Amino acid sequence: MQHTVVIVGAGQAAGQTSVSLRQGGFAGRIVLVGEEPYLPYQRPPLSKKFLAGELDAPRLLLRQEKFYAEHQVEVLLNTRVTRIEPGSRGLELSNGAHLNYDKLILATGSRVREVQLPGHRLAGVHYLRTIDDVSRIREQFLPGASLVIVGAGYIGLEVAAVAVTHGLKVTVVELADQVMARVEAPPVSDFMARMHREAGVDIRCNTGIQAFRGATRLKGVIGSDGVEIPADLAIVGIGILPNVELAQTAGLVCSNGIMVDEYCRTSDLDVLAVGDCTNHPNPLLGRRVRLESVHNAQEQAKTAATTILGRLEPYAQIPWFWSDQYDLKLQIAGFSSRSEQAVIRGEPESRSFAVFFLDEGRLTSVYAINSPREFMLSKKLIALGARPEPALLRDTTVPFKEIAEALES
């Protein structure tokens, strides 16, 4: 009997799941259901090369249409799953159709956190999450235009870098006392803020917003200090929320995401979940986490595929992330807190350095700026629970590869 796997969602995790199932030898029916009109595509370039006009939409696709046809993956775009019926293993679709599954994979992803302030629906107020979002932004992304970015996270700062490079007047408003507040690495945050200010970006920390002003179109953003910032357009980037509503109404256990085990199985063993929407255990970190990263989406997708194929291979990897701003590549592995010891290797003025974080001597994370070797080797060291000597980490006369090899032995 042919088994049917239905994948709900058409993002990075969903696309990788379909690829991994076929590569793993799954011969049954695969149906991928996505709300957007696009095949699964990469989101990271949206705030960088795609926004800058250096990359067109077809090059964002994970696989071209030919792949899905050749591998018999049925793709239903512009379609939303409105209800899961766990008892009958069925799905109701927004077009009125009904679909049955043997195994269901929820790759529902996440959505932007929206502001509810006066003027938030004015023309010119944008969010950046999809191809269509960026297409609308690019209509106003013109030299000389005044742009206000609400939120100094990765997306906000990446957009700021592209915008100021293209001649826009950029102001970034951040409620926290530092940019990239979630990074928990003040040395890196301070460095990135300085780089943006030197490029001409006006960064205002410890500042919220009260309202967006304008009649029908945005004219200005009023800060929490009462000062109005002129704005032809605004981009709000204050985080994302996991899409768990479909899972919740189906009776699946959810808490800051859809709860899954190390094999990506939900509380219903016929339903798996992958990507941004999941809350999963990480044995290397010793706790549960919900991650918003390409790496997590890809690797959980591979784990879910092997689970469906009958090979239980637990997902256990050190999380990593990256951000491109100007000529700077920030690469992060692991997690840290402000209470941990920060050790800087190299000189920030050189625009190539790394910050290591130690928790009672154990390496927990690395933040590498234009330092790919420190990043790559540290991922393994974090997983091993290595305890490097701070003085040795600081000593740039000793190649980092030698330090890593000594810690691994």
Side-chain angles (χ1 to χ4, degrees):
M1 178 180 177
Q2 185 185 51
H3 289 280
T4 297
V5 172
V6 177
I7 304 169
V8 181
Q12 190 112 24
Q16 182 63 55
T17 302
S18 65
V19 170
S20 295
L21 281 170
R22 286 298 188 229
Q23 289 178 339
F26 181 75
R29 183 187 183 195
I30 300 176
V31 184
L32 190 152
V33 184
E35 294 186 34
E36 292 186 62
Y38 307 103
L39 292 169
Y41 63 88
Q42 307 169 70
R43 294 193 191 275
L46 293 181
S47 56
K48 298 183 276 288
K49 289 189 175 182
F50 186 64
L51 176 62
E54 299 171 6
L55 198 66
D56 57 18
R59 291 178 61 193
L60 293 175
L61 299 181
L62 297 176
R63 292 288 193 280
Q64 298 299 316
E65 186 174 1
K66 180 181 178 181
F67 171 87
Y68 299 97
E70 290 179 346
H71 291 81
Q72 297 181 307
V73 176
E74 302 171 42
V75 181
L76 305 179
L77 300 179
N78 292 305
T79 306
R80 182 168 54 89
V81 174
T82 57
R83 185 181 177 188
I84 302 172
E85 300 169 345
S88 61
R89 291 191 291 192
L91 303 171
E92 290 182 2
L93 307 183
S94 57
N95 60 9
H98 189 274
L99 193 61
N100 288 105
Y101 64 85
D102 293 291
K103 294 292 182 182
L104 176 65
I105 300 176
L106 299 178
T108 49
S110 53
R111 63 186 183 278
V112 295
R113 187 188 297 273
E114 298 186 7
V115 294
Q116 302 295 323
L117 295 170
H120 72 281
R121 295 195 182 280
L122 286 170
V125 178
H126 301 277
Y127 295 87
L128 197 160
R129 184 65 180 166
T130 67
I131 287 176
D132 289 342
D133 289 339
V134 179
S135 296
R136 286 188 287 268
I137 291 169
R138 279 164 60 170
E139 293 175 2
Q140 298 177 267
F141 210 75
L142 305 171
S146 295
L147 165 65
V148 174
I149 299 171
V150 182
Y154 293 126
I155 296 296
L157 293 185
E158 288 171 357
V159 170
V162 173
V164 76
T165 301
H166 282 69
L168 281 77
K169 302 171 185 175
V170 184
T171 302
V172 177
V173 178
E174 170 57 49
L175 189 59
D177 62 356
Q178 66 175 55
V179 303
M180 299 191 304
R182 293 177 60 188
V183 166
E184 297 287 5
V188 175
S189 173
D190 293 345
F191 171 79
M192 297 305 296
R194 180 162 57 86
M195 292 299 99
H196 279 278
R197 288 187 172 115
E198 289 180 359
V201 178
D202 179 3
I203 295 180
R204 306 184 187 185
C205 293
N206 297 302
T207 305
I209 60 170
Q210 295 183 19
F212 300 95
R213 187 189 66 79
T216 58
R217 175 167 290 280
L218 181 70
K219 296 296 183 183
V221 176
I222 301 174
S224 56
D225 54 6
V227 175
E228 180 172 334
I229 308 168
D232 298 304
L233 70 160
I235 298 175
V236 181
I238 56 173
I240 61 175
L241 299 170
N243 292 322
V244 300
E245 292 75 13
L246 193 62
Q248 286 178 323
T249 57
L252 301 179
V253 177
C254 298
S255 178
N256 184 30
I258 304 170
M259 300 288 280
V260 298
D261 64 12
E262 63 270 38
Y263 307 111
C264 296
R265 300 177 301 194
T266 70
S267 52
D268 179 337
L269 295 184
D270 288 325
V271 182
L272 295 85
V274 294
D276 289 6
C277 65
T278 69
N279 182 322
H280 62 275
N282 187 309
L284 299 178
L285 300 177
R287 60 189 175 96
R288 297 187 71 91
V289 293
R290 187 177 68 79
L291 299 173
E292 303 157 6
S293 73
V294 171
H295 171 248
N296 179 66
Q298 291 177 327
E299 296 306 314
Q300 275 200 315
K302 295 174 185 177
T303 296
T306 58
T307 297
I308 287 175
L309 291 165
R311 302 192 304 271
L312 295 182
E313 299 175 3
Y315 175 47
Q317 297 190 30
I318 293 297
W320 60 269
F321 317 84
W322 86 92
S323 178
D324 294 324
Q325 299 169 39
Y326 309 110
D327 62 337
L328 307 171
K329 178 175 283 295
L330 168 61
Q331 295 172 294
I332 304 169
F335 289 113
S336 64
S337 69
R338 292 199 184 193
S339 63
E340 296 177 7
Q341 179 185 8
V343 180
I344 300 177
R345 179 180 175 85
E347 297 296 331
E349 291 73 18
S350 71
R351 301 171 76 91
S352 176
F353 67 101
V355 181
F356 301 90
F357 280 83
L358 306 176
D359 183 6
E360 297 182 348
R362 182 174 59 86
L363 182 64
T364 60
S365 65
V366 63
Y367 295 75
I369 302 285
N370 291 342
S371 299
R373 178 170 297 175
E374 280 77 2
F375 167 71
M376 291 299 296
L377 296 174
S378 291
K379 283 196 297 182
K380 184 183 294 186
L381 296 179
I382 294 168
L384 291 172
R387 294 177 173 274
E389 288 293 333
L392 194 56
L393 290 178
R394 293 190 188 95
D395 189 353
T396 55
T397 65
V398 180
F400 191 73
K401 185 176 181 180
E402 290 184 15
I403 298 173
E405 289 174 346
L407 289 168
E408 291 173 24
S409 61

